[in-house]
Amino acid sequence: MKIKSIKAYHVVQPFVDGPYRMSKGRVADCFDAVIVAITSDNGVTGWGEMAPLGNFYSAAFPSGTRAGVPEIAPHLIGHDPRGLAGIGRLMDTVFKGHPYIKAALDMACWDLAARAADVPLVTMLGGRESETAELYRVVTHGTVDQMAALAKRIVAEGYRRLQVKVGGNVRDDIERVTAVASAVPKGTVIFCDANAGWTPYQARQFADATRGIDYTFEQPCTTIEENMSVRRMLDKPMVLDESVTSLQEMLEIHRRGAADGLTLKISRLGGVTQTRLIRDVAVDLGFMITVEDTGGAEIDTAAMAHFSLSTPEERRLHAIAFHEWVTVRTASNKPPVTGSRMGIPDGAGLGIDVVPDLLGKPFFEIG
C-alpha cells in the first residue's frame, strides 16, 4: 500500500456559545482548522485534523499549518501509510520542528491504516477499556456572576466535572472560584486551570486563599520549575498541560515529581504517534491522563475519544467533546454523546464518515 494523493482543507469553525475567553484578555471566536485527507493506491482514505485555539494558547498558529502542510505532503507520496513510525521520522527529516503542522498528516495515516485493517482506531491504540468516557465542560473567564451562572447551567445539564478558567487577577479569581464552588452541588469535580498565566508568587497566593475548596490545580505557571515551586506547598493534586511538549518533558515532570496528572494535546505533540507513546509511558509511570487537543470538530474529537477509551479507566481523568462547541459539521456522523459521557462511532479507523462537500475546496492537493 502506498500514499497516492493528499488533500488539505481550511475550515473555520465558529463557537456555538460565542467567544472563548481566558485570562489576560485572551479570546478566540472559532477553531481555525486544517483537515487533511490521505488516500492510498487501493482507494482507502484516512482523515486528520488540527485546530489551534487562537494564536495565544499553544505554540501553533493557523496560517503556519496552512503554509507547512504543502511543504511536507509531497515527501509522503509513495510511502506506506501503515509505516507510522517511519512516516513520523520522514516528516521530522524533511521539516524540522513545528510538530503541530505534522499532527493532521500523522492522524490521517493512523486513520487510513486502521481502515485498511478494518479495525477501529481504539484497537490500534491498545484496545478498548470502557464503552464511554466522562466529559467535562469549561467555565470560561468572566465576571463572578457570569461564571457562577454558567457553572450552574452546566451542572443542570447533567455534567459533574468543571474546568474553571483562572490565571488573571488573583483576588478576582479567588472570588470567581469561590462563587463557582458555592453554586454547584458538593462533589462536583473542579479543575482550576490558569493556562500558565501566573507567577509562582501569584499561584501560591491563590492556593493559600482557596484551601477550603476541593479542586485540582492545572498548569498555574509556565515552566516545570515554577510549577514545582508551587507544588511544594500545595495540598491539592496538580495537573500539567502546557508543560508536556515531548516525551523528554514528560519524563522530566516525572523525575521531579512535578505533577499527579497530565493533559496530552495531540497537535502539541505532533500527532497520534507521539501521543500514544507518551500516553503509554505516562500510564506505566502512574500519572492520571487526559488526552485531548487544542480544538477541532468531528475528526479531531473522534481521535480524542479513541484515545480516551484506550486509556485504562483507573488512569483516565476525563474527556471533552469539541464537536459540540462549533456550529459547522464536517461528517455525517460524530462521536456519540449521551448525557455527560462520550463514546466512539461504529466503524473502522476513526469511525466517522467525513463529507468532503462540507469542507469546501481544498487549498492544497497533490497526486
Side-chain angles (χ1 to χ4, degrees):
M1 183 188 298
K2 306 294 182 183
I3 295 174
K4 182 179 180 180
S5 66
I6 300 175
K7 296 179 182 180
Y9 303 83
H10 175 214
V11 182
V12 174
Q13 302 166 349
F15 295 138
V16 171
D17 294 327
Y20 182 91
R21 301 184 186 279
M22 294 164 52
S23 62
K24 300 183 177 178
R26 293 175 287 180
V27 60
D29 297 315
C30 63
F31 291 136
D32 196 337
V34 167
I35 293 174
V36 169
I38 296 181
T39 302
S40 65
D41 53 5
N42 64 347
V44 180
T45 298
W47 294 89
E49 178 178 26
M50 76 80 57
L53 180 60
N55 292 326
F56 53 81
Y57 176 68
S58 190
F61 62 105
S63 58
T65 309
R66 295 194 296 274
V69 166
E71 295 289 331
I72 299 172
H75 297 278
L76 304 185
I77 298 296
H79 289 269
D80 189 337
R82 299 168 298 181
L84 298 159
I87 290 289
R89 289 193 297 270
L90 174 61
M91 289 195 290
D92 288 341
T93 298
V94 302
F95 201 96
K96 189 173 180 63
H98 301 278
Y100 68 97
I101 294 174
K102 304 163 188 174
L105 293 161
D106 178 81
M107 184 185 295
C109 286
W110 276 83
D111 184 33
L112 198 163
R115 289 176 189 269
D118 197 27
V119 297
L121 183 61
V122 69
T123 300
M124 293 181 61
L125 294 177
R128 190 167 186 155
E129 295 280 344
S130 65
E131 292 301 308
T132 58
E134 187 76 18
L135 294 168
Y136 75 90
R137 292 279 298 275
V138 179
V139 180
T140 57
H141 220 250
T143 67
V144 171
D145 290 343
Q146 288 171 338
M147 293 179 72
L150 178 56
K152 289 177 69 174
R153 176 166 67 83
I154 291 170
V155 170
E157 292 172 357
Y159 290 84
R160 297 173 292 178
R161 305 181 72 88
L162 303 176
Q163 184 193 74
V164 182
K165 292 299 183 184
V166 293
N169 179 281
V170 175
R171 296 302 172 190
D172 291 343
D173 278 336
I174 292 168
E175 187 177 358
R176 292 180 180 107
V177 170
T178 301
V180 167
S182 299
V184 299
K186 186 177 181 180
T188 302
V189 176
I190 297 175
F191 279 58
C192 290
D193 184 11
N195 292 114
W198 280 328
T199 65
Y201 180 88
Q202 293 170 315
R204 285 193 286 271
Q205 281 184 305
F206 178 86
D208 186 61
T210 55
R211 288 184 185 276
I213 302 173
D214 183 14
Y215 66 86
T216 294
F217 214 174
E218 184 166 354
Q219 194 75 41
C221 308
T222 301
T223 69
I224 295 173
E225 177 59 40
E226 288 172 334
N227 287 299
M228 189 65 208
S229 74
V230 177
R231 182 165 168 77
R232 292 188 188 104
M233 57 77 63
L234 193 65
D235 61 353
K236 301 181 184 301
M238 182 178 284
V239 169
L240 293 182
D241 178 347
E242 285 89 342
S243 291
V244 191
T245 60
S246 66
L247 176 63
Q248 290 73 25
E249 290 295 303
M250 186 275 288
L251 293 173
E252 179 67 7
I253 291 167
H254 176 259
R255 185 186 70 80
R256 303 189 63 152
D260 305 288
L262 305 172
T263 299
L264 307 181
K265 300 289 175 65
I266 298 171
S267 63
R268 179 180 289 141
L269 299 173
V272 174
T273 302
Q274 286 299 311
T275 303
R276 185 195 175 184
L277 171 63
I278 295 169
R279 189 275 308 267
D280 289 350
V281 175
V283 165
D284 285 346
L285 291 176
F287 285 109
M288 298 297 292
I289 299 294
T290 298
V291 180
E292 54 182 53
D293 212 341
T294 55
E298 288 89 351
I299 299 167
D300 203 47
T301 303
M304 294 188 292
H306 283 271
F307 261 118
S308 293
L309 297 190
S310 59
T311 301
E313 280 195 273
E314 66 272 17
R315 293 294 177 194
R316 183 196 310 151
L317 282 171
H318 43 216
I320 193 164
F322 276 150
H323 65 295
E324 295 195 329
W325 287 33
V326 299
T327 61
V328 301
R329 299 274 65 86
T330 60
S332 60
N333 58 346
K334 57 188 178 182
V337 174
T338 303
S340 64
R341 300 189 70 87
M342 179 169 65
I344 55 176
D346 293 330
L350 291 171
I352 57 172
D353 298 316
V354 178
V355 181
D357 287 347
L358 297 176
L359 308 181
K361 184 179 179 181
F363 70 84
F364 170 78
E365 185 172 359
I366 187 171

